[in-house]
Amino acid sequence: MQDPKTIRNVAIIAHDGAGKTALTEALLRHDAPARASKDGSTSHLDVDPEETKRNFTVATHITFAEHEGVLLNLLDAPGFSDFLTDADRSMAVSEGGLLLVSAVSGVKHQTEAHWEMAAERSLPLLACVNKLDKERASFLRALDDIEKTLKAKPVALQLPIGLGESFSGVVDLITLRAHSYKKKSDGKFGGFVEEEIPDSLMAEARRLRTQLIEAVAETDDAMLEKYIDGREPSEEELVDGIAHAVLGRRFLPVVACAARTGIGVDDVASAIVKFLPPPSVRRDLHGKDLKNADASRLCQRDAPLTMLVFRNTVDHFIGRLTACRIFAGTVKHGSSILNPRTGHAEIVQHVFRIDGGKTQEVAEAGAGEIVALMKLKDVHVGDTLCSNDHPPLRLEMIPEPKRVIAYALKIDREHEEKVSVALHRLLEEDPSLELVHDAETGETLLKGMGQVHIEVAIEKLKRKFDADVHLELPHPAYHESVSAKTRGHGRYKRQSGGRGQYGDCHLELEPLPRGSGIRFEDAIVGGAIPRVFINSVEHGVRESAKQGPLGGFPLVDFVARLVDGSFHTVDSSDMAFRIAGSMALKNALISAKPILLEPMMRLEVVAPDEMLGEVIADLTARRGRISGMEPTSKGTLIHGQAPHAELRTYAPELRSLTKGLGYFTMELQGYEEVPTHEAQKVLAQRSAEQHKDDVKPNHPKARA
């Protein structure tokens, strides 16, 4: 069992293409070569075909290595915007993060998103400028980009020796020694030889070291006073000062490397060990007890077991593998654990460390460690697993994702049962997905964080579970209503020998305000219809209103007033008056001037200030209305409304329009009348889907 002081849990974060997985693999090749890819590829971690196809990470990869006697739990988090919720979960279980920036492309929009997420969690960060061996690479330009784009204070800990093909090592600005990676003698990947700084770099190295000392001194009054008096801090004082500055997010230390060639990799690992905090910095946990009252627990090994589930993987052969971060207590074979959400308790069978797609069993693990447990029952991402012998504590460190896009699933009837099981397993793996049934449209909707997220989910569904489904854009849940007061008569009379059927009623139809639904009023006087049959008329009206006259959409927002009718003492029945009520409604609709209603969504869009005009113009083109705007730390928050029909593909288009920086949330606000020209399009499409003749707005076909 590992001492918490000798553990570093590190979320490796960056935009896709910055080299996160390559650096993680490089750290493995340096410190755990027996488990790393032999050819320097990312095949050890990028095991899913969906990642190979797209060349970026779609789910957090977990592995571990040991550097200078310290266990490094490395969480290679996704960088593509559709998968940022997975990156956020990785940050939730880490004490520190390594933010990568490409020396070629600099800070990208997803880098900003990662930076903001880390800031919201107050996560201590190191930065690493990667790809310094590439053509057009620039370390100083990357520093400038970090400062201007992230509004951070980057402080170099190293200076590259050469750039592009000539990149051969780094100057350590703390020790003022050169680390030459191309002159190593032991042949170890990522190793270096220490030597004197080249004369050509000495002036720049001293300049950057002065900036480093000043940045550290500004965070400590005693050190600043010494520095003003002309006494430079010692190397040990600098290391301690940088570590404290990282913990308080006072500035952003920056190291340099080229992951593919291994240049700088040893220094990156050493910086993680020296400057990112261990799990022991957490003093206590805060959560809720079973009564939803505030509760806390010490983050110690002798405290009751408290673990947070942050990832599930479902495998055909081994079943569910649940990744957990242990915040308090210890877990081992035979431990009894409780899930406060379900109240279910079970016995732990095995405890593993995770190494990409493989596992390594350990006898016991304690506070500060990241482990995997096998075949747990009904465990979701975000669940807390506690000791069964103490009052449970429920952690709330992983928020519910705000899904922004939905697609309808088209499933062959003969495969429905198989697909249902596969979808359930898929949602166990990825809690950013949600499966819902739209009662109005009859569609099964798969909701997610973006178009690529949904596409990857469907590919996994087919590959892992052999379940064949197809995606379609969801239909908006249109309604119909009436715009004129009218009257209708319905009479149902059948005589076929013996007792017949007779029901007769007169209805007045009148429009109601939006959102009123259906109201039925009994205005019968003089007993024209017996009380026992009035409910039957109402049932007939409500049943018939399930399909309106324009496109068969639900009919809403009207009052049906029963004003007259007649009955037969022998032949009248519940069924007869139900049918009569339905007929009266349909006849009244002929002159009620029916209209088509569409769902309107309440929108909140965050857009970068420099792209605000384009976003507003795009929303206006989607028949949207802007109701207000306010500044935020991430740009401008736009409040507005727009039809659901115009927002079905908004997520990928907003991302494209804002270069990945914009995002939005939406919820149903209400219903409004569809403009005539748009209604004609909707009804023509509806007619084609139902294989009927075209039906024009406000000209419904009479129904018998």
Side-chain angles (χ1 to χ4, degrees), residues 167-477:
F167 180 49
S168 60
V170 298
V171 173
D172 185 336
L173 298 176
I174 297 174
T175 63
L176 274 182
R177 297 286 290 171
H179 296 172
S180 177
Y181 280 77
K182 291 192 174 180
K183 294 181 181 180
K184 60 190 178 188
S185 57
D186 57 3
K188 182 179 180 181
F189 180 81
F192 64 85
V193 173
E194 187 176 297
E195 58 186 20
E196 296 293 330
I197 299 174
D199 291 340
S200 59
L201 293 178
M202 183 57 77
E204 182 66 5
R206 291 193 180 281
R207 182 184 73 83
L208 291 176
R209 190 174 193 272
T210 298
Q211 291 182 358
L212 169 61
I213 293 172
E214 290 175 351
V216 174
E218 287 174 359
T219 66
D220 185 281
D221 291 341
M223 189 183 296
L224 180 60
E225 187 175 340
K226 288 181 181 180
Y227 182 64
I228 292 174
D229 290 340
R231 291 175 290 170
E232 286 194 357
S234 65
E235 292 179 12
E236 184 178 351
E237 288 175 326
L238 273 180
V239 170
D240 289 344
I242 294 168
H244 280 96
V246 169
L247 186 61
R249 291 177 57 90
R250 303 291 296 276
F251 58 77
L252 182 63
V254 185
V255 294
C257 80
R260 293 286 184 181
T261 60
I263 300 174
V265 168
D266 187 288
D267 281 291
V268 172
S270 295
I272 290 173
V273 170
K274 292 176 182 175
F275 305 125
L276 289 182
S280 54
V281 298
R282 293 183 189 259
R283 301 300 180 190
D284 51 19
L285 287 169
H286 298 280
K288 301 288 185 180
D289 61 17
L290 289 181
K291 296 181 180 179
N292 209 37
D294 292 338
S296 62
R297 180 162 295 168
L298 294 175
C299 294
Q300 296 177 355
R301 298 228 159 155
D302 55 359
L305 176 65
T306 309
M307 301 186 292
L308 180 69
V309 176
F310 69 97
R311 189 182 174 197
N312 269 328
T313 305
V314 180
D315 187 271
H316 279 300
F317 302 104
I318 65 174
R320 182 195 288 113
L321 192 69
T322 301
C324 306
R325 164 63 197 275
I326 307 173
F327 286 102
T330 59
V331 64
K332 60 183 177 180
H333 174 78
S335 296
S336 177
I337 57 173
L338 172 72
N339 186 339
R341 179 181 60 83
T342 64
H344 177 78
E346 55 189 306
I347 302 299
V348 173
Q349 300 299 325
H350 301 279
V351 181
F352 301 93
R353 282 187 184 147
I354 305 173
D355 180 28
K358 302 177 182 179
T359 56
Q360 186 180 102
E361 189 165 2
V362 294
E364 187 178 11
E369 298 191 60
I370 290 175
V371 297
L373 307 179
M374 192 176 290
K375 297 182 180 178
L376 297 181
K377 298 176 183 177
D378 192 21
V379 173
H380 298 171
V381 170
D383 281 352
T384 309
L385 302 179
C386 299
S387 168
N388 197 26
D389 302 325
H390 297 82
L393 176 72
R394 180 166 46 85
L395 302 176
E396 297 180 328
M397 300 171 70
I398 297 179
E400 180 72 14
K402 295 180 179 179
R403 304 167 186 93
V404 299
I405 196 169
Y407 278 87
L409 300 182
K410 186 177 182 181
I411 306 169
D412 294 335
R413 185 159 299 185
E414 60 269 23
H415 298 149
E416 282 183 352
E417 185 175 349
K418 179 180 181 180
V419 171
S420 177
V421 173
L423 283 168
H424 178 73
R425 291 181 178 176
L426 183 68
L427 267 62
E428 287 181 353
E429 281 198 0
D430 188 353
S432 299
L433 297 168
E434 183 183 20
L435 197 65
V436 297
H437 177 72
D438 191 318
E440 291 202 9
T441 64
E443 294 173 317
T444 298
L445 302 180
L446 184 62
K447 293 184 174 182
M449 310 307 295
Q451 183 176 348
V452 176
H453 184 212
I454 299 290
E455 290 173 355
V456 166
I458 296 304
E459 290 174 17
K460 281 187 177 181
L461 200 68
K462 295 178 180 178
R463 174 180 61 84
K464 297 186 72 171
F465 309 109
D466 193 28
D468 192 19
V469 298
H470 303 281
L471 294 174
E472 295 180 346
L473 286 175
H475 288 83

Side-chain angles (χ1 to χ4, degrees), residues 515-537:
S516 301
I518 301 173
R519 197 165 77 212
F520 182 85
E521 294 180 358
D522 172 17
I524 290 291
V525 293
I529 298 177
R531 290 284 164 200
V532 68
F533 295 133
I534 290 176
N535 283 342
S536 303
V537 175

Side-chain angles (χ1 to χ4, degrees), residues 122-201:
S122 299
L123 186 72
L125 291 180
L126 282 175
C128 176
V129 177
N130 188 25
K131 299 190 175 184
L132 284 162
D133 59 333
K134 302 297 183 183
E135 186 179 351
R136 295 181 291 106
S138 173
F139 181 72
L140 296 180
R141 185 178 66 228
L143 290 180
D144 186 59
D145 206 9
I146 290 172
E147 183 173 14
K148 290 180 178 178
T149 308
L150 301 183
K151 305 297 188 291
K153 182 180 180 181
V155 177
L157 302 185
Q158 298 167 356
L159 173 67
I161 300 174
L163 291 171
E165 292 183 357
S166 64
F167 180 49
S168 60
V170 298
V171 173
D172 185 336
L173 298 176
I174 297 174
T175 63
L176 274 182
R177 297 286 290 171
H179 296 172
S180 177
Y181 280 77
K182 291 192 174 180
K183 294 181 181 180
K184 60 190 178 188
S185 57
D186 57 3
K188 182 179 180 181
F189 180 81
F192 64 85
V193 173
E194 187 176 297
E195 58 186 20
E196 296 293 330
I197 299 174
D199 291 340
S200 59
L201 293 178

Side-chain angles (χ1 to χ4, degrees), residues 4-231:
K5 293 181 180 179
T6 62
I7 299 174
R8 301 293 184 273
N9 297 314
V10 185
I12 301 178
I13 56 177
H15 65 81
D16 59 285
K20 300 182 306 299
T21 306
L23 179 58
T24 308
E25 293 266 16
L27 290 167
L28 276 182
R29 288 183 70 191
H30 178 59
D31 288 313
R35 293 187 286 108
S37 300
K38 306 304 179 185
D39 57 357
S41 70
T42 60
S43 60
H44 183 73
L45 296 177
D46 279 339
V47 294
D48 290 342
E50 295 80 23
E51 295 177 319
T52 304
K53 172 183 175 181
R54 292 171 172 81
N55 197 31
F56 60 71
T57 302
V58 301
T60 295
H61 300 302
I62 307 168
T63 188
F64 63 93
E66 187 174 302
H67 186 83
E68 299 174 2
V70 174
L71 175 66
L72 307 181
N73 286 318
L74 305 172
L75 286 73
D76 172 24
F80 192 76
S81 55
D82 282 15
F83 304 94
L84 291 183
T85 53
D86 203 87
D88 184 58
R89 290 191 285 270
S90 298
M91 295 186 212
V93 298
S94 302
E95 279 75 38
L98 184 64
L99 179 69
L100 264 66
V101 174
S102 169
V104 178
S105 58
V107 173
K108 284 195 172 181
H109 308 298
Q110 293 100 324
T111 320
E112 295 182 62
H114 283 93
W115 172 259
E116 293 288 347
M117 289 161 57
E120 288 173 4
R121 291 193 176 274
S122 299
L123 186 72
L125 291 180
L126 282 175
C128 176
V129 177
N130 188 25
K131 299 190 175 184
L132 284 162
D133 59 333
K134 302 297 183 183
E135 186 179 351
R136 295 181 291 106
S138 173
F139 181 72
L140 296 180
R141 185 178 66 228
L143 290 180
D144 186 59
D145 206 9
I146 290 172
E147 183 173 14
K148 290 180 178 178
T149 308
L150 301 183
K151 305 297 188 291
K153 182 180 180 181
V155 177
L157 302 185
Q158 298 167 356
L159 173 67
I161 300 174
L163 291 171
E165 292 183 357
S166 64
F167 180 49
S168 60
V170 298
V171 173
D172 185 336
L173 298 176
I174 297 174
T175 63
L176 274 182
R177 297 286 290 171
H179 296 172
S180 177
Y181 280 77
K182 291 192 174 180
K183 294 181 181 180
K184 60 190 178 188
S185 57
D186 57 3
K188 182 179 180 181
F189 180 81
F192 64 85
V193 173
E194 187 176 297
E195 58 186 20
E196 296 293 330
I197 299 174
D199 291 340
S200 59
L201 293 178
M202 183 57 77
E204 182 66 5
R206 291 193 180 281
R207 182 184 73 83
L208 291 176
R209 190 174 193 272
T210 298
Q211 291 182 358
L212 169 61
I213 293 172
E214 290 175 351
V216 174
E218 287 174 359
T219 66
D220 185 281
D221 291 341
M223 189 183 296
L224 180 60
E225 187 175 340
K226 288 181 181 180
Y227 182 64
I228 292 174
D229 290 340
R231 291 175 290 170

